[in-house]
Amino acid sequence: MDQEDRIALFLDYENLALGARDHRGGAAFDFRPIADALAERGRVVVRRAYADWSYFDEDRRMLTRSHVELIEIPQRMGASRKNAADIKMAVDAIELAFERDYISTFVICSGDSDFTPLVHKLRELNKRVIGVGVEGSTSGLLPPACDEFLYYDRLEGVDIPPARGRRARPTTRPAGAEQRPAEPEREQEPEADRRPAGEEPGRDVDALAVLVAQSVAGLQGSANGEVTASRLKRTLLRKDPTFSESDYGFRTFGELLRHLAERNVIELGEGPAKGDPEVSLPEHGDREVAFGLLRGVVADLGSGGNPVALSGLKNQVRRARPDFSEKKLGYRSFLQFCKAAATAGVLDLRWSPEADDYLLTTQP
């Protein structure tokens, strides 16, 4: 644990929550995807959010359940209220940087360019800075200033928002899909994807395989060096402090990993210490099979060379193969899986402003 990053999290909540709702079709902001992303990067020891909480009553309860300290900025000063919240957040971050030497990483959740000087000062103090913001409301000045920047829209667990006002919908969409574009995607989600945070997994080893593959993929993308079994176990416990391999019928965590390795969910290699193997995702696994499945579905839906919209496509893939899950292959989202298929030359993927969606076509 001594080698882990200690993280301090600061949320400019009004900027983040309103940005999510304004640029994601009115979808409610969810803190859990941010918590999970940070769990893969280190141990969060400070969580603070700044806002006038009388305007975010439901959000306040959600954050309290996630053990976030709520800093009240009353709305009594008109336009200066926003500056008051920004200044308070910046002062607290700098104070913590000087008083808590063990905190190595600061996470600034805001898309406001006003925090750029704060980011520069924290890095000057030898702190790593991670930014988090909504893609549509993040200033172009802030991401380059950070050591790492995460767009909330792209985090695992953040749903694709329902599209509004699409004028050129692909003709391959099933009947009724135009009026409720996001509903089919959610209706067919397996229980593991719909389960609220903290709910018991019910000894579902398939759901556990998804969680492990997703965590390994996240650690490989954000961690320095190999992913060891001990590091993976700590990450799983940060995501769900009640996690125990015994709930799934395994005596030890190593036994659980060996079981998943036999199912080709992960691969185990020699680690830095005896009894602490290196964990990685299979180089290929069932990836080619899944790519072939995706190509076949797109070819069937887009007969005649018509493009197929990404929205609702995962639903169609699951109709062809009910046990399909991109997370078992190590991909954090279905869009990332489709991008990997496009990179491999299986199909073409492009963004269409007219359709307000990604469109897929098969290669000739």
Side-chain angles (χ1 to χ4, degrees):
M1 183 175 291
D2 289 338
Q3 300 302 317
E4 291 184 310
D5 284 342
R6 265 65 164 192
I7 298 174
L9 170 64
F10 292 85
L11 295 102
D12 177 12
Y13 196 76
E14 182 174 342
N15 178 279
L16 200 63
L18 295 184
R21 293 170 187 176
D22 291 345
H23 294 274
R24 305 192 68 254
F29 173 76
D30 185 6
F31 174 72
R32 187 67 191 182
I34 295 178
D36 285 347
L38 297 182
E40 295 166 354
R41 288 162 170 80
R43 183 175 169 223
V44 181
V45 295
V46 174
R47 301 183 182 191
R48 296 179 185 173
Y50 299 75
D52 183 340
W53 297 108
S54 63
Y55 290 88
F56 300 100
D57 192 50
E58 292 297 324
D59 305 60
R60 178 172 56 188
R61 286 191 280 269
M62 170 193 66
L63 293 170
T64 300
R65 286 193 294 267
S66 297
H67 310 287
V68 177
E69 180 184 359
L70 307 182
I71 308 299
E72 180 72 30
I73 308 293
Q75 188 173 7
R76 299 194 186 105
M77 306 267 312
S80 64
R81 173 185 55 85
K82 182 65 174 67
N83 288 337
D86 293 354
I87 293 171
K88 172 63 174 170
M89 183 168 149
V91 168
D92 286 356
I94 292 297
E95 181 181 39
L96 208 63
F98 279 104
E99 291 185 350
R100 305 287 188 268
D101 290 339
Y102 56 81
I103 295 179
S104 58
T105 301
F106 283 74
V107 179
I108 307 299
C109 294
S110 177
D112 194 339
S113 62
D114 289 348
F115 286 105
T116 304
L118 171 63
V119 172
H120 289 317
K121 179 57 66 175
L122 289 171
R123 296 185 67 185
E124 183 181 322
L125 295 172
N126 197 30
K127 305 298 183 181
R128 184 168 184 261
V129 181
I130 300 175
V132 181
V134 178
E135 192 163 7
S137 62
T138 295
S139 167
L141 299 175
L142 187 60
C146 301
D147 293 290
E148 181 181 6
F149 197 90
L150 306 175
Y151 284 110
Y152 171 79
D153 320 57
R154 306 179 190 178
L155 294 179
E156 172 62 30
V158 178
D159 295 329
I160 297 176
R164 292 185 173 183
R166 292 183 176 173
R167 296 187 299 266
R169 311 278 298 184
T171 57
T172 55
R173 187 72 65 110
E178 290 191 5
Q179 291 153 358
R180 303 178 63 190
E183 195 66 22
E185 187 76 17
R186 297 179 64 86
E187 284 181 353
Q188 298 298 325
E189 289 289 322
E191 290 300 319
D193 290 344
R194 294 201 306 261
R195 184 179 299 119
E199 186 174 322
E200 289 296 324
R203 301 178 184 271
D204 187 348
V205 179
D206 287 335
L208 176 62
V210 170
L211 176 63
V212 169
Q214 174 187 332
S215 299
V216 172
L219 288 171
Q220 287 180 331
S222 63
N224 295 322
E226 69 278 357
V227 178
T228 61
S230 58
R231 185 167 195 174
L232 174 61
K233 177 69 176 287
R234 290 195 297 268
T235 298
L236 294 175
L237 286 171
R238 282 195 292 260
K239 290 186 174 184
D240 178 10
T242 67
F243 170 81
S244 173
E245 58 273 5
S246 63
D247 291 340
Y248 299 89
F250 299 98
R251 292 171 297 177
T252 65
F253 189 62
E255 182 179 332
L256 164 62
L257 294 180
R258 289 190 292 272
H259 172 78
L260 295 180
E262 290 173 358
R263 293 180 55 185
N264 203 36
V265 175
I266 58 173
E267 289 182 348
L268 298 178
E270 185 176 351
K274 186 177 180 180
D276 192 14
E278 181 179 348
V279 185
S280 60
L281 295 174
E283 185 66 26
H284 295 291
D286 295 330
R287 190 182 68 172
E288 282 74 17
V289 175
F291 284 172
L293 171 67
L294 176 64
R295 188 183 192 283
V297 171
V298 172
D300 290 342
L301 293 174
S303 56
N306 292 323
V308 177
L310 178 67
S311 299
L313 179 59
K314 184 176 179 179
N315 195 35
Q316 299 295 330
V317 172
R318 280 187 171 149
R319 286 198 178 112
R321 181 176 166 182
D323 65 339
F324 170 81
S325 173
E326 72 279 359
K327 297 182 183 66
K328 289 183 179 179
L329 302 172
Y331 297 104
R332 298 175 65 84
S333 67
F334 186 66
L335 173 59
Q336 187 186 43
F337 168 71
C338 292
K339 287 181 177 179
T343 301
V346 176
L347 43 73
D348 287 322
L349 176 70
R350 63 181 178 85
W351 173 258
S352 172
E354 294 79 12
D356 192 23
D357 203 349
Y358 284 97
L359 300 180
L360 298 90
T361 53
T362 56
Q363 297 277 15

